[in-house]
Amino acid sequence: MEEKDAAALRSERQRRKRVSKIRNGIVATVAIWMLVSAILIVTLLVKVISLEHRLNTLTMNPAYSSQIETKQNPGTDDGKDPSESIPDTQSNSDESKVSLVSGLDEPDNLAKEGDVHKVYLTFEDGPSENTAAILDTLNQYQVKATFFVVGKEDDESKALYKRIVDEGHTLGMHSYSNKYSTIYESKEAFEADFKELQDYLCELTGVESSYYRFPGGSNNQISNVDMSEFIQYLNSQGVTYYDWNVSAGDATSMAYTSEDIVANVTENIVKYKTSVVLLHDADDKSATVDALGPLIEALQNMGAEILPIDEDTTVIQSVKIAEE
């Protein structure tokens, strides 16, 4: 009897040890899993914050914001992957006989204490319903701006082209198709697109536009052709192209508020005597519409002059060609 009791006691002890080991193993596994999960969450959070910071930085950097816009703005291309067959647009071929030089942050344009800030509000990708709202706001504040338009043939767009001119704003060109793979396929394709838009606008408004903004900016990495060839072509046509040195940040798909847009502009125009501000008036830019009134008021309170681009405007270009 005692032997049976002793055997039973040993068996019970062994069972309890097994249960204890299993329980301890489960607890340890859960603890390790929770610790690893916490580490992964923290790591991912840090990476997300870092990426968001980098994206914000790039968005506000004129040298790169056009690349962000290109990749995030649907409808500007017809399916071509911008990462494929990207040429080095900063290099120079022997045939072009030009060199590309940086045109941003030139010392002569950096503001000093007491300088009056000249601000050029430029809108691209329109016309759209938002263009009409923007024109209403500009008229309310008696401010003139610049519109780099694309080609649209509906009656509403035709009326907006005319309204831009009739109300004293500068009519610029942003390509007819606004499709990167079409525009930058070849020099001939670029010239055809350019002439189609210039002739179309002249027929509608009576104005032969002499200002151009490259889709994606002059430093874009999408073109199949050295950008210097397009720049030389525009020069031969008596057309001046403009990039920008201040970005409102509304090019990206990030949910910028109207307050963010105002802050992005006002915090950066103080760096320059002349600021060409990148804004958009496409259909999906309602935040830009909402920001315009407060932005104008903020700029006026800063003593800035808000002007349309004309022949006296300091030219802002990311890259310039220097004849050898």
Side-chain angles (χ1 to χ4, degrees), residues 26-272:
I26 293 173
V27 170
T29 300
V30 171
I32 293 172
W33 178 80
M34 292 178 65
L35 178 61
V36 171
S37 298
I39 293 173
L40 287 174
I41 291 172
V42 171
T43 301
L44 288 173
L45 182 61
V46 170
K47 288 185 176 181
V48 168
I49 294 174
S50 175
L51 287 172
E52 184 176 8
H53 175 72
R54 289 180 61 193
L55 182 56
N56 288 336
T57 301
L58 290 175
T59 301
M60 295 309 302
N61 186 335
Y64 296 101
S65 59
S66 63
Q67 307 309 316
I68 300 173
E69 174 191 359
T70 299
K71 294 177 181 179
Q72 295 192 350
N73 187 4
T76 57
D77 204 349
D78 57 357
K80 179 180 178 181
D81 183 356
S83 66
E84 296 177 2
S85 303
I86 295 176
D88 180 5
T89 60
Q90 307 306 314
S91 63
N92 178 44
S93 64
D94 292 336
E95 296 179 357
S96 66
K97 294 184 179 179
V98 298
S99 59
L100 298 185
V101 297
S102 174
L104 295 180
D105 290 340
E106 292 183 343
D108 289 345
N109 192 39
L110 297 180
K112 301 179 180 64
E113 186 175 355
D115 285 338
V116 175
H117 301 284
K118 294 184 178 182
V119 178
Y120 297 82
L121 302 179
T122 68
F123 300 88
E124 64 179 54
D125 290 344
S128 72
E129 290 183 357
N130 284 329
T131 307
I134 287 170
L135 287 168
D136 289 342
T137 301
L138 293 171
N139 183 59
Q140 176 187 345
Y141 287 92
Q142 294 297 293
V143 166
K144 307 303 180 186
T146 302
F147 292 82
F148 290 101
V149 300
V150 299
K152 293 185 177 181
E153 299 181 0
D154 58 280
D155 291 339
E156 292 79 5
S157 295
K158 290 179 180 179
L160 286 169
Y161 295 129
K162 295 176 183 177
R163 184 180 171 189
I164 289 169
V165 172
D166 291 343
E167 296 185 4
H169 305 286
T170 297
L171 183 65
M173 297 172 284
H174 193 49
S175 81
Y176 193 94
S177 68
N178 206 22
K179 291 184 178 180
Y180 292 83
S181 60
T182 299
I183 301 162
Y184 295 132
E185 180 181 4
S186 65
K187 183 179 178 182
E188 292 73 22
F190 178 86
E191 293 177 5
D193 182 277
F194 168 84
K195 290 300 295 181
E196 183 177 13
L197 181 59
Q198 188 182 53
D199 292 346
Y200 180 61
L201 295 177
C202 187
E203 180 182 350
L204 283 174
T205 68
V207 173
E208 185 174 280
S209 177
S210 57
Y211 303 104
Y212 191 89
R213 172 167 289 158
F214 289 107
S218 66
N219 65 335
N220 78 79
Q221 298 295 309
I222 294 88
S223 176
N224 291 320
V225 180
D226 192 308
M227 292 298 293
S228 65
E229 295 191 26
F230 302 141
I231 296 172
Q232 290 181 94
Y233 172 72
L234 293 180
N235 289 345
S236 73
Q237 300 300 304
V239 172
T240 303
Y241 87 86
Y242 274 83
D243 286 310
W244 58 93
N245 54 359
V246 174
S247 173
D250 64 347
T252 73
S253 61
M254 294 179 64
Y256 277 104
T257 65
S258 58
E259 291 80 8
D260 293 331
I261 291 172
V262 173
N264 288 342
V265 176
T266 55
E267 290 173 3
N268 283 276
I269 65 108
V270 295
K271 302 175 184 176
Y272 307 107

Side-chain angles (χ1 to χ4, degrees), residues 11-30:
S11 178
E12 179 64 18
R13 288 175 177 173
Q14 291 174 353
R15 186 188 68 79
R16 289 181 179 179
K17 287 182 179 180
R18 289 195 299 270
V19 170
S20 178
K21 287 181 179 180
I22 293 172
R23 182 174 62 248
N24 292 340
I26 293 173
V27 170
T29 300
V30 171

